[in-house]
């Protein structure tokens, strides 16, 4: 994720968490966003950013109107480069749009990304799961198990999808401006 670097990894992580909180709070929810530092070393820090939990436990938060709930979890790393600067990178994300608050609730869309650093597999790194059985000729495919490639899906695009396609009520009239400003700050 370009755009966030500096001399203090803790400040970079806090600034990123605050950006995510501001983005969500100005568009679809007032739920808290938490961060948990998972690892610290002289060359790398790792953290998990999640929605709705004080201790960093991801949970799904309700959106208006029902039945939509959003669960968000991002694992980031801040790595020191050769010049001594710290740079933020996304290691993985999981955006779940589901029907209830419990992570065991039925889900409708799962957008996921796992960097090769996290999981070295042959699956597409950025992918979508759908709870759908699809007839493909003589074969029946369970799309909840298939990794449908998507390319990187940003949080801004998830919010845009929630509001524009699923009818989630935006918290402000000018929600698209908030998304565009965020996209300019963190271009993909």
């Amino acid at each position: 994720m370009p755009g966030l670097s500096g001399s203090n990894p803790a400040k970079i992580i806090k600034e990123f968490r605050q950006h995510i909180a501001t983005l969500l709070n100005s568009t679809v929810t007032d739920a808290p966003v938490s961060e948990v530092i998972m690892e610290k070393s002289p060359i790398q820090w790792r953290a998990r950013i999640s929605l709705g939990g004080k201790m960093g436990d991801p949970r799904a938060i309700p959106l208006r109107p029902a039945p939509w709930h959003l669960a968000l979890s991002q694992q980031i790393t801040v790595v020191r480069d050769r010049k001594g600067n710290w740079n933020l990178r996304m290691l993985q994300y999981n955006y779940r749009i589901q029907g209830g608050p419990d992570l065991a609730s039925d889900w409708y869309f799962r957008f996921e990304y796992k960097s090769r650093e996290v999981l070295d597999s042959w699956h597409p790194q950025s992918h979508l799961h759908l709870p759908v059985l699809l007839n493909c000729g003589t074969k029946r495919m369970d799309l909840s198990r298939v990794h449908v490639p998507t390319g990187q899906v940003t949080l801004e695009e998830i919010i845009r999808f929630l509001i524009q396609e699923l009818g989630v009520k935006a918290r402000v009239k000018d929600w698209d401006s908030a998304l565009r400003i965020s996209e300019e700050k963190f271009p993909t």
Side-chain angles (χ1 to χ4, degrees):
M1 173 155 300
L4 210 50
S5 61
S7 60
N8 184 321
K11 283 185 180 179
I12 293 169
I13 291 167
K14 288 212 178 294
E15 183 180 341
F16 182 70
R17 185 205 52 81
Q18 184 57 49
H19 175 76
I20 297 299
T22 300
L23 180 63
L24 287 163
N25 294 167
S26 66
T27 55
V28 292
T29 181
D30 62 356
V33 175
S34 65
E35 71 194 57
V36 173
I37 304 297
M38 300 164 56
E39 175 188 332
K40 292 182 194 180
S41 81
I43 59 167
Q44 175 175 289
W45 286 37
R46 287 188 187 214
R48 184 176 66 222
I49 309 293
S50 59
L51 185 56
K54 289 183 180 177
M55 297 305 293
D57 295 325
R59 59 181 88 158
I61 51 96
L63 303 170
R64 293 176 303 171
W68 309 118
H69 287 72
L70 175 64
L72 172 152
S73 179
Q74 299 175 324
Q75 187 178 342
I76 58 173
T77 186
V78 183
V79 179
R80 185 187 299 241
D81 64 21
R82 290 184 197 126
K83 296 178 182 177
N85 294 318
W86 292 86
N87 301 292
L88 181 100
R89 280 196 349 255
M90 183 70 65
L91 291 176
Q92 71 180 35
Y93 62 69
N94 188 325
Y95 307 131
R96 289 170 52 116
I97 300 168
Q98 57 189 56
D102 188 297
L103 290 183
S105 298
D106 289 341
W107 53 270
Y108 307 117
F109 304 92
R110 273 185 16 225
F111 297 89
E112 299 176 350
Y113 165 76
K114 289 182 174 41
S115 70
R116 299 284 183 237
E117 223 174 298
V118 172
L119 180 65
D120 190 13
S121 77
W122 290 358
H123 299 302
Q125 287 180 281
S126 299
H127 56 270
L128 168 67
H129 296 282
L130 296 165
V132 172
L133 291 173
L134 181 65
N135 291 322
C136 296
T138 60
K139 188 174 182 178
R140 191 167 173 93
M141 296 185 73
D142 181 353
L143 296 186
S144 69
R145 297 186 168 279
V146 172
H147 299 76
V148 180
T150 60
Q152 188 122 21
V153 178
T154 65
L155 181 55
E156 293 87 353
E157 288 299 320
I158 293 296
I159 294 168
R160 195 170 273 119
F161 176 68
L162 287 166
I163 294 170
Q164 196 63 30
E165 302 296 332
L166 300 183
V168 168
K169 184 171 173 26
R171 293 175 50 86
V172 294
K173 288 182 182 176
D174 199 16
W175 57 268
D176 191 58
S177 288
L179 297 180
R180 289 173 188 256
I181 289 167
S182 179
E183 288 166 334
E184 287 174 15
K185 184 172 182 174
F186 296 103
T188 55

